[in-house]
Amino acid sequence: MKSVADESILVSMRGISRAFGGIQAIDGVDLDIRAGEVLGLLGHNGAGKSTLISILSGVTSRDTGEILVRGEPVSISSPRDARQAGIETIYQNLALADNLDAASNLFLGREKRRAGIFRDTRTMRRETEEVLRQINPRFQNLSSPVGSLSGGQRQSIAIARAVHFKASVLIMDEPTAALGPSETALFKDLIKHLTQRGVGVVLISHDIHDVFDLADRLVVMADGRVVGRMRTEEATKEQVLEMIILGGSKEVTIDAQEAREEAHTLISTLMPAPDPHGALNANPNEPMMNDDPAPFTTAPTRSESEPRSAATKSRRPSTS
């Protein structure tokens, strides 16, 4: 019998590991996603965030470990399995068909049909309008191809799709990267709306300001392992950046104080305080900070799916 405390846990990942060839991308990671809570997942490029989430999304298989949904073990070997388990993922590109309208995108691959043959366009449009009214009351462009819509409107469609199909867990990868200040503010309202409905949200972002604004809990990864877990209200940005920079290696090859000073320097150079309107840059034509492919790392940029080699690990100092 599950305890009362366990009732809030929607999804648990236990001892998840994944190697590519002889390199360990994910090493014994545990993760809990709770109802009505935003979990911020942080780490530099190559830390293992995307690999971990792709396992939960059914895109990548795991070598070891198990996934539990509401306390019951499940097998997730495809995105369809993940959706059936109530897990939806919204990637940075939103996975929308630019030439289709809102209703066609919301029901893409899951179209309603009359007599099992004909597309029930009227019902799909009505249900799309209903769910978008809940998500974004200002949305009006139901008939326009989504390619002509703003980033915030496109994101509203992607979130509405997850809500309509009863997702209990929503994974969002760099959700504010392509949004302006007003659309970022709308996005934050959408997240609050989702958590009020009991949805568990996993937020992956390089924008530490947004993460601290939205997340209830933080999990920091480095070199395929979790190196920090904390309540957001009990953490500081300096602490989180220090974990990201120092990583999790047990071999100390540089002075820890020097690394801490490096972290503090990066805070002032990479993490300027947002302006009163929520923008990171005063000039809206300048790229957002999180357009930088690797704002947290001092090493050359690598693909998230390309794990850190053992040689590189040995040069990363310990947080212990």
Side-chain angles (χ1 to χ4, degrees):
M1 181 176 179
K2 290 183 286 186
S3 67
V4 175
D6 290 336
E7 292 297 327
S8 67
I9 299 179
L10 299 172
V11 172
S12 293
M13 304 180 78
R14 292 286 177 263
I16 302 296
S17 297
R18 176 68 161 111
F20 294 94
I23 301 174
Q24 198 71 39
I26 299 291
D27 187 8
V29 171
D30 295 344
L31 194 73
D32 289 330
I33 304 170
R34 294 184 169 91
E37 185 178 71
V38 179
L39 173 66
L41 187 58
L42 296 162
H44 53 64
N45 281 5
K49 308 182 305 296
S50 293
T51 301
L52 181 67
I53 292 307
S54 69
I55 291 172
L56 184 57
S57 302
V59 175
T60 302
S61 62
R62 63 187 184 274
D63 293 335
T64 62
E66 64 176 349
I67 299 174
L68 299 92
V69 175
R70 300 185 186 277
E72 298 295 330
V74 296
S75 174
I76 297 180
S77 56
S78 70
R80 182 183 296 272
D81 291 342
R83 289 194 295 267
Q84 289 176 346
I87 301 167
E88 292 273 357
T89 304
I90 299 178
Y91 296 99
Q92 188 172 348
N93 63 8
L94 302 179
L96 299 175
D98 287 346
N99 60 316
L100 300 180
D101 62 16
S104 297
N105 269 282
L106 194 145
F107 286 94
L108 188 62
R110 294 179 272 193
E111 291 84 356
K112 288 183 174 292
R113 298 190 179 275
R114 291 179 286 110
I117 301 174
F118 305 103
R119 284 167 52 93
D120 192 348
T121 304
R122 181 177 298 178
T123 299
M124 289 191 291
R125 181 182 175 86
R126 184 187 71 249
E127 293 184 7
T128 299
E129 187 173 5
E130 290 173 355
V131 69
L132 278 171
R133 189 181 300 120
Q134 300 172 31
I135 297 298
N136 181 359
R138 291 176 286 177
F139 192 100
Q140 297 179 347
N141 303 307
L142 284 173
S143 301
S144 301
V146 300
S148 66
L149 304 181
S150 69
Q153 291 172 320
R154 290 164 58 85
Q155 193 173 72
S156 294
I157 296 171
I159 294 175
R161 181 171 55 195
V163 170
H164 183 75
F165 289 102
K166 311 299 182 187
S168 58
V169 170
L170 183 60
I171 303 166
M172 307 198 74
D173 185 16
E174 299 291 351
T176 61
L179 303 184
S182 61
E183 292 178 327
T184 298
L186 174 61
F187 166 75
K188 292 179 179 180
D189 289 339
L190 294 178
I191 294 300
K192 292 176 183 176
H193 174 78
L194 291 171
T195 54
Q196 287 170 358
R197 295 169 63 108
V199 176
V201 178
V202 180
L203 180 63
I204 306 168
S205 177
H206 279 119
D207 190 328
I208 200 166
H209 295 298
D210 283 346
V211 173
F212 266 75
D213 284 347
L214 290 168
D216 301 291
R217 285 187 300 124
L218 303 173
V219 170
V220 183
M221 293 187 66
D223 301 325
R225 294 181 287 116
V226 172
V227 296
R229 304 176 194 269
M230 66 210 79
R231 300 287 304 175
T232 308
E233 61 191 14
E234 299 170 353
T236 66
K237 295 170 186 175
E238 289 87 349
Q239 290 172 331
V240 172
L241 276 175
E242 186 173 312
M243 290 179 187
I244 291 169
I245 293 168
L246 295 179
S249 174
K250 294 186 178 180
E251 296 185 34
V252 180
T253 56
I254 65 173
D255 183 75
Q257 182 59 37
E258 178 184 340
R260 291 187 177 90
E261 291 173 358
E262 179 186 359
H264 298 157
T265 300
L266 281 177
I267 292 165
S268 60
T269 58
L270 297 177
M271 298 295 157
D275 68 25
H277 302 290
L280 289 171
N281 298 284
N283 184 354
N285 294 319
E286 292 181 359
M288 299 287 283
M289 178 191 63
N290 51 8
D291 285 338
D292 185 332
F296 291 146
T297 177
T298 56
T301 304
R302 297 179 300 104
S303 168
E304 175 70 30
S305 62
E306 180 185 350
R308 188 175 300 277
S309 67
T312 306
K313 282 187 180 183
S314 67
R315 294 195 298 269
R316 185 166 293 280
S318 173
T319 56
S320 61

